[in-house]
Structures are given as structure tokens and as C-alpha cells.
Amino acid sequence: MAKHLAFCLVMLKLSIAFANVPNTLNETCLDDIDIVLQINLYKNSCPDAEPIIFSWVQNAVSQDSRMAASLLRLHFHDCFVNGCDASVLLDDTEDFIGEKTAPPNLNSLRGFEVIDAIKAELESVCPGTVSCADILATVARDSVVLAGGPSWEVEMGRKDSLVASKAAAINNIPGPNSTVPTLVAKFQNVGLSFNDMVALSGAHTMGMARCSTFSSRLHGLNGPDINLDFLETLQQLCSESDSNTKLAHLDLATPATFDNQYYVNLLSGEGLLPSDQALVTQDYQTRQLVLSYAEDPLAFFEDFKNSMLKMGSLGALTGNEGEIRRNCRIVN
């Protein structure tokens, strides 16, 4: 164990020394497992992998702008449950319970058919090469880019899990009514910091949510910062007969664009989810970060990119762990 710790320290020093060198490895020492993720991993084994993925995401988003948020969300909901291992994609069977029926995912996650289409083409071009977990990480980046947000080099090398955990999906994924302490705890439980939580919350600058997820906002339960005009708009939308399925934009101003408008909205009392508005009403530190991102979109983009890379490396299965699924919905 001492030798292993010494090796980890050496690798950490090397990674710092070569931090700006292209194709560097992201190596994390966890017990006796070395987790290695690498950019341009498929350069030789499947050179068309990223162009194929981008093409499918571009097509999906052009047909439905909301799909950018949906595909990004798949990656989030995957990584928060035992790491980024594509467990969220596994279907239930007679003898297997996946994560799709967990309350945070049921009738909420979408875009599975886009992942299926990407996987099918990749299997025809370079079979058994690109994992479903790497596909999820890449479509998340591409969705952000296509919506006008920052780009980053996706680190590859994840394997796909053989198992899933409905219980972990229920317990680990932050809910729409979460308080700031709950948000901080759930992010820290998976290895993400206070700052990561505020930066990654900015993903809510695009996408939609059902009336049922923000019902407490409808009754003005979020303190003095409530925006009455905004509240009336939501009450009108959610008073209609089909309110259970009615959707509202997380960002009314620029709903399909990845920008810093989410933080601007929070400061004017127009955060849709209670967990969003809580960032400015419940905690001084989160409010200060919201202010900084509202004032400086480039700072938000940089922090979001770095936090996405950090989240994307959580619990990655590599080496002899996991497998590369032929079909993302079932284990081989």
C-alpha cells in the first residue's frame, strides 16, 4: 500500500508538471486501481467516433432544440449513480432492475433513442470499441457546444457497467426541492465541490421541467426575492387541465441557448426550480458565485467546463472492470 501511495504521489507530480501537454492522462489512484482516461483515445481504433457522435447530436438538436438539455442531463444522471458507467441506459428485464424507473428518471429522462442510433453506427464502423459511457460523455459536450456553450476535450476510456442501482438513483440525484445544504452534500458525496455544484447548476440554462417539480414556487414559498410577475406566469401555466404534463422553460429568456442567463434569472427571482432559486436566497457563498457568473459569462464557461471534466471522471470503470456493451440497453 505504501508503494502504491508513493506511485500515486509521483504520478500526481508528473500530471502537474505536464498539465499543458496535449494528450495527457487523467490518472486517479483509488485503493489499488489506477483509473486512466485519455483524450483522443479512439484516434487510431475508431477515428470517426467523435464526428459520428457529433453528427447524430446535431441532427437530434436540429429537430428538437430541447434535446440538447436532455442529452446533457443523461450524463449527469449517469455520473451521480456509482460513477460515469452508462448504468442509466440499462433497461429493466425479468431478472434485472435498472435505474430508469427511479423517481428522478421516470417519465423525465429522454434521448435514449439518440444514444441507440449512435451506438448502432459505431458498432457497424468499429465494433466493440467505443463504450456507451464514453458516448454519454461526448454527447454532453456536443450538446453544450451546439447550444452555444463552451467546448472541451472529452477524456475517454470508460467501460460500461454490468449492474445498475435504482436505490442509488433515488438517493444520490439531487431533487428539484433541495436546499443548499442538501445540494452541497449530494455533490460532495460523489466527489464534487461546493464550487462545482454552483457551476454545474448552470446546466439549467436550457431545458424544461414539469409543473409538479416546482409546485412550491407556485405558492410563493421562496421568500422575499420572489418575482410576482414570474410567479403569475407560472401559476397561469400550471392551472390548466393538463398541468401534470405541462412543461415550463428553466430559462424563459434564452431557453435553447447555453449561456449565463440562468444566473441572471436567479438574481431577478426567476429561478424555476426551488433548488435553483435557493442558490441566491439561502446561502451567502452561493449567492456570491451566482453574482460572479451573472457578471462574467466567460468565468462561468471556464468553471463549467472544468467541473464537467471532473464529473466525467467520477467512478470510471477501466482496464478489466466493466465491458464495452454492444447494445447500450443490455449487458453483453
Side-chain angles (χ1 to χ4, degrees):
M1 188 66 188
K3 288 182 179 179
H4 181 70
L5 180 58
F7 174 78
C8 287
L9 292 173
V10 170
M11 292 305 298
L12 179 59
K13 289 177 181 178
L14 286 173
S15 67
I16 293 171
F18 293 97
N20 295 318
V21 178
N23 283 344
T24 53
L25 303 182
N26 174 10
E27 182 148 352
T28 306
C29 295
L30 179 65
D31 295 327
D32 288 318
I33 302 169
D34 295 327
I35 299 173
V36 181
L37 297 179
Q38 183 180 359
I39 63 174
N40 294 324
L41 180 67
Y42 301 116
K43 184 176 182 179
N44 296 318
S45 60
C46 191
D48 291 331
E50 290 195 56
I52 287 171
I53 294 170
F54 184 83
S55 177
W56 277 104
V57 177
Q58 187 176 41
N59 181 62
V61 172
S62 69
Q63 293 183 34
D64 175 7
S65 61
R66 183 185 163 208
M67 190 56 71
S70 298
L71 293 173
L72 175 60
R73 192 159 174 255
L74 278 178
H75 184 46
F76 269 80
H77 282 228
D78 181 37
C79 293
F80 266 77
V81 182
N82 300 332
C84 310
D85 59 3
S87 60
V88 72
L89 301 177
L90 291 169
D91 284 341
D92 287 4
T93 66
E94 288 184 2
D95 53 1
F96 180 88
I97 298 176
E99 298 162 14
K100 290 180 178 178
T101 56
N105 299 334
L106 184 64
N107 299 321
S108 176
L109 289 185
R110 58 199 292 272
F112 296 110
E113 70 285 351
V114 179
I115 306 300
D116 293 339
I118 292 169
K119 183 60 175 173
E121 182 167 350
L122 289 174
E123 283 299 302
S124 69
V125 173
C126 38
T129 304
V130 183
S131 70
C132 301
D134 280 349
I135 292 172
L136 284 179
T138 307
V139 299
R141 185 272 312 274
D142 292 348
S143 295
V144 170
V145 169
L146 286 164
S151 184
W152 59 90
E153 293 281 3
V154 178
E155 295 172 327
M156 310 283 198
R158 303 164 188 79
K159 293 288 186 66
D160 300 324
S161 67
L162 305 176
V163 297
S165 176
K166 183 176 179 178
I170 294 170
N171 294 325
N172 295 4
I173 298 170
N177 293 297
S178 298
T179 61
V180 169
T182 298
L183 289 171
V184 171
K186 285 188 181 290
F187 274 74
Q188 288 181 343
N189 285 344
V190 298
L192 296 170
S193 70
F194 181 95
N195 284 32
D196 291 326
M197 183 272 287
V198 180
L200 291 173
S201 293
H204 285 172
T205 190
M206 56 183 187
M208 305 182 82
R210 296 174 188 271
C211 288
S212 59
T213 63
F214 54 87
S215 58
S216 66
R217 292 283 279 147
L218 302 178
H219 308 296
L221 300 180
N222 278 75
D225 285 4
I226 192 70
N227 181 313
L228 291 178
D229 291 337
F230 179 65
L231 178 61
E232 287 176 8
T233 301
L234 296 183
Q235 289 173 333
Q236 183 176 356
L237 174 76
C238 296
S239 65
E240 297 173 14
S241 58
D242 57 347
S243 62
N244 287 335
T245 57
K246 204 72 176 178
L247 295 166
H249 289 292
L250 288 163
D251 170 9
L252 283 174
T254 55
T257 303
F258 192 97
D259 54 20
N260 70 329
Q261 185 65 40
Y262 164 81
Y263 299 102
V264 177
N265 294 344
L266 297 187
L267 294 171
S268 60
E270 296 179 1
L272 183 68
L273 303 179
S275 58
D276 290 330
Q277 198 60 44
L279 297 181
V280 296
T281 60
Q282 292 183 2
D283 187 278
Y284 175 78
Q285 286 180 282
T286 55
R287 186 183 179 92
Q288 292 307 111
L289 274 173
V290 168
L291 277 165
S292 69
Y293 290 151
E295 293 170 357
D296 189 347
L298 293 181
F300 163 53
F301 277 16
E302 185 66 18
D303 287 356
F304 182 83
K305 175 184 73 176
N306 291 331
S307 293
M308 283 295 291
L309 283 166
K310 186 175 175 182
M311 184 182 77
S313 69
L314 297 175
L317 301 175
T318 61
N320 294 324
E321 300 178 300
E323 65 179 11
I324 295 176
R325 292 185 211 135
R326 291 185 291 272
N327 178 338
C328 291
R329 293 176 179 265
I330 55 175
V331 297
N332 293 341

